[in-house]
Amino acid sequence: MEHWNQIVTAAMMGTDKSPLSAAGLPDELSGAAGMIIDNKSISKEEQFLQLAALLMNFRQSGVSALPDPGIAAEVAPVETLSWCSIQAMQVLKDIVGEDLDTLIHYWLIRCAEKQQLIHPSLIPAMLEQALYNKKWQPLVAACCGKRGEWLSRFNPAWKFSANQTVDDAWQTGTPEQRKQVLREQRASNPQQAITMLQAIWPQEDAGTKQGFLELLDENISETDLPFLELQFTEKSKKVKAEAVRLMLLIPSSSIIKKYENTLKKLVILQKEKTLLGMSSRLKLQYAPTDSIKQEITELALESKSGQPGYSNEEWVYYQLVKAVQPAFWEQYLQQPGEKIIELFQADELGKKMIPALVLSAVANKDNRWGELLFTNAAIVYTEVLPLIPQQKREEYMLQYFEKLPDEMTDMAFQSEKPWSLPLAMKVLTQFATNPYRYQKNMLLKHVMLIPDEVTGMLSSIQPQEDYKGTMWQNTSHFLRRILEYKKEIIQAFNA
């Protein structure tokens, strides 16, 4: 529009040097423009601004692209799923506007579960969100439907929303898409996941191989051993180390048998007389590690201590104990778990092996031994708490909260299910009294764990210091808002 160029010129040169006129304006604007220019009660500058506003609105009210017969764009296919409710869309706009990523993810999960779709007006914004939150991409693709797939043709960055088959995603997808395919296959068909890896393994680099191996913990079994044993021919030490880690999770693997046989050479259960000779007691005897030099080499154990407070010999023991499953000791020593912990704690070397037992229980996800160590070890090892069933775990956490408030708070965030109200109030009180350690973004990250009932009880938490009280007031206001959003999401998709 030529007259718009005149507006731009007047803005740069001034209305005296470039006076305004209605000449050349579209017929639709001549009447309104004439009224502005003929109005002598306002200054030239005001006339200029009003005329510029008139032209701007006119320009934006209906611009059409120039026709080009060479461009053939198909209309987006008709959706087969229903749109989500207006209430759901309003919540989505609110949480996207505030960048509440945890709630956006939860919204997408609920929308996909209900097999509903995002309204077209917000599809481009959600496709953009998924560019920076790659784990959302499958959910965003599902919730954007055929319209999202259609739009992805016009922006290569949105290509993740295309309707790829599992094989396409595995062969040509992004690294995150490929990992997601492997996760899903490992969960539903573990052996098929191994078959898929075998097919592409020669062409992958060491970093990709290591990343794939890290996903095989789930459903690991004896059938995985042939594939894992092949990794010993890999040049990458990290790939080999990851394969060894996985093999140590399989009781029947050859490498774990070597560790067990080595420990049998070193650790012996003996009976010894008590001081007065009236009775006897069981005691663990530890042989010097000089007798297993060959095994140290074969198992690639570190012969020099890598941990402060551990001698070279103690460090060798530590590595061996950490590698075998805790249940090995029950089978080998023919003693219950409580007694084995007692035996280890009876002397200085054995006490240093308890942390190795803890790491072994955690690595092997041994729930029974996790609780045994928590209840019988002389020191409280919070690392094993996630192995204990939720209800009992909360009982232990409440029991130790006053003694270990930071440790119990950090452990609460590892829960899989929402907290009980007593635990929630303990955690939030810790937030209020330690505002620099615990900040509100942590509440957003774990909002799904926080029960809605705390909303009416937040005012009962009152830090003693005034500045902490002000900070907690802001934090509690934020918490009320995100809990309300969570409630609205649930209601929107349950309606």
Side-chain angles (χ1 to χ4, degrees):
M1 184 184 294
E2 180 61 30
H3 212 80
W4 182 254
N5 293 333
Q6 294 178 18
I7 291 287
V8 174
T9 302
M12 293 189 295
M13 300 181 63
T15 53
D16 286 336
K17 293 185 178 180
S18 180
L20 300 172
S21 74
L25 285 172
D27 293 339
E28 296 89 342
L29 298 182
S30 58
M35 291 174 63
I36 293 170
I37 294 172
D38 295 339
N39 186 357
K40 304 303 180 184
S41 64
I42 58 176
S43 65
K44 290 181 180 180
E45 290 76 13
E46 181 65 24
Q47 287 178 343
F48 166 76
L49 292 173
Q50 289 188 12
L51 189 59
L54 178 66
L55 279 168
M56 174 60 74
N57 281 303
F58 183 76
R59 279 164 56 88
Q60 293 181 335
S61 64
V63 177
S64 299
L66 291 173
D68 186 342
I71 298 176
E74 298 177 2
V75 177
V78 176
E79 300 288 358
T80 56
L81 301 177
S82 59
W83 306 109
C84 66
S85 67
I86 294 175
Q87 181 186 2
M89 281 302 299
Q90 185 57 54
V91 180
L92 180 60
K93 289 178 182 177
D94 290 341
I95 58 181
V96 168
E98 295 189 41
D99 198 25
L100 303 175
D101 53 358
T102 305
L103 289 170
I104 297 170
H105 187 216
Y106 179 57
W107 191 100
L108 290 167
I109 290 172
R110 297 289 292 148
C111 185
E113 286 175 349
K114 292 292 183 177
Q115 293 188 311
Q116 295 178 3
L117 299 175
I118 297 169
H119 290 208
S121 61
L122 209 56
I123 287 177
M126 293 310 298
L127 291 172
E128 280 295 309
Q129 287 272 339
L131 287 181
Y132 305 103
N133 297 277
K134 297 188 183 302
K135 291 183 180 180
W136 295 2
Q137 290 181 357
L139 286 170
V140 170
C143 294
C144 288
K146 296 181 184 298
R147 183 70 60 93
E149 182 184 340
W150 177 79
L151 276 174
S152 70
R153 302 175 188 173
F154 304 102
N155 186 346
W158 295 344
K159 194 175 180 181
F160 63 84
S161 67
N163 188 20
Q164 289 181 306
T165 65
V166 171
D167 188 59
D168 289 339
W170 176 242
Q171 295 294 339
T172 62
T174 64
E176 186 56 41
Q177 285 176 324
R178 298 182 75 199
K179 286 184 177 181
Q180 184 60 31
V181 170
L182 185 61
R183 283 191 198 97
E184 292 172 358
Q185 285 294 325
R186 188 63 173 172
S188 60
N189 189 342
Q191 196 52 46
Q192 177 61 23
I194 295 296
T195 302
M196 290 167 58
L197 287 174
Q198 288 171 327
I200 55 91
W201 206 248
Q203 66 204 40
E204 303 296 339
D205 59 42
T208 302
K209 289 178 178 180
Q210 182 186 354
F212 285 151
L213 288 173
E214 289 170 354
L215 302 178
L216 298 185
D217 289 57
E218 185 172 8
N219 290 324
I220 192 159
S221 68
E222 190 174 345
T223 58
D224 300 325
L225 285 173
F227 173 71
L228 295 175
E229 287 168 350
L230 287 175
Q231 306 317 309
F232 289 117
T233 62
E234 287 284 336
K235 294 180 180 179
S236 168
K237 290 182 179 180
K238 291 183 178 180
V239 172
K240 289 179 184 177
E242 191 60 32
V244 169
R245 184 189 69 81
L246 290 168
M247 291 176 69
L248 290 174
L249 301 178
I250 305 172
S252 60
S253 67
S254 58
I255 192 167
I256 206 169
K257 294 300 181 187
K258 290 179 181 178
Y259 277 91
E260 291 175 352
N261 291 334
T262 302
L263 280 168
K264 288 177 181 179
K265 292 180 181 179
L266 292 174
V267 183
I268 300 171
L269 182 62
Q270 289 186 338
K271 276 188 180 181
E272 64 175 22
K273 295 288 185 179
T274 57
L275 185 62
L276 298 176
M278 301 294 291
S279 60
S280 61
R281 65 175 182 178
L282 295 174
K283 184 181 172 106
L284 292 178
Q285 295 290 337
Y286 304 95
T289 54
D290 290 343
S291 61
I292 58 158
K293 288 183 178 179
Q294 183 178 345
E295 287 86 346
I296 289 174
T297 303
E298 289 178 357
L299 297 173
L301 298 176
E302 296 176 5
S303 58
K304 292 187 178 180
S305 177
Q307 184 79 9
Y310 283 75
S311 67
N312 292 342
E313 185 166 276
E314 289 168 344
W315 185 240
V316 171
Y317 268 102
Y318 183 94
Q319 295 171 81
L320 291 167
V321 173
K322 177 185 169 185
V324 300
Q325 299 195 11
F328 156 75
W329 296 103
E330 293 171 295
Q331 298 162 3
Y332 170 50
L333 301 176
Q334 292 296 298
Q335 298 292 324
E338 296 89 341
K339 184 64 178 178
I340 288 165
I341 295 171
E342 179 188 325
L343 290 168
F344 272 112
Q345 293 184 139
D347 59 62
E348 290 306 311
L349 192 152
K351 286 177 183 176
K352 292 183 176 181
M353 297 305 109
I354 297 295
L357 273 174
V358 167
L359 291 176
S360 175
V362 172
N364 288 281
K365 298 175 183 170
D366 193 322
N367 298 347
R368 184 174 62 85
W369 262 88
E371 188 165 1
L372 281 172
L373 286 161
F374 188 82
T375 54
N376 291 278
I379 299 173
V380 176
Y381 291 97
T382 57
E383 300 95 316
V384 297
L385 271 173
L387 300 174
I388 301 173
Q390 174 102 359
Q391 185 175 349
K392 208 163 189 181
R393 184 194 320 161
E394 285 206 5
E395 292 175 7
Y396 289 135
M397 291 168 69
L398 291 169
Q399 178 184 343
Y400 285 93
F401 212 101
E402 299 302 324
K403 183 179 178 182
L404 300 166
D406 289 335
E407 290 84 349
M408 293 302 115
T409 299
D410 294 342
M411 195 52 57
F413 289 120
Q414 298 187 32
S415 299
E416 313 85 34
K417 298 178 182 178
W419 303 327
S420 65
L421 190 56
L423 179 60
M425 292 303 292
K426 290 276 189 185
V427 171
L428 294 175
T429 300
Q430 189 69 0
F431 259 79
T433 53
N434 295 274
Y436 295 110
R437 178 181 173 92
Y438 302 107
Q439 300 182 11
K440 63 183 183 181
N441 65 318
M442 292 182 69
L443 294 176
L444 172 61
K445 184 177 179 181
H446 301 286
V447 65
M448 304 312 300
L449 297 175
I450 305 172
D452 295 339
E453 292 87 346
V454 303
T455 304
M457 303 176 68
L458 294 178
S459 57
S460 66
I461 301 174
Q462 295 290 339
Q464 292 182 354
E465 297 91 337
D466 289 342
Y467 79 95
K468 289 183 179 179
T470 301
M471 295 176 74
W472 172 243
Q473 188 175 10
N474 294 333
T475 299
S476 60
H477 177 73
F478 173 75
L479 178 57
R480 286 189 181 95
R481 190 164 77 253
I482 61 176
L483 286 173
E484 183 61 28
Y485 281 142
K486 181 178 74 169
K487 187 177 178 181
E488 288 177 8
I489 293 169
I490 293 170
Q491 291 174 344
F493 287 105
N494 286 346

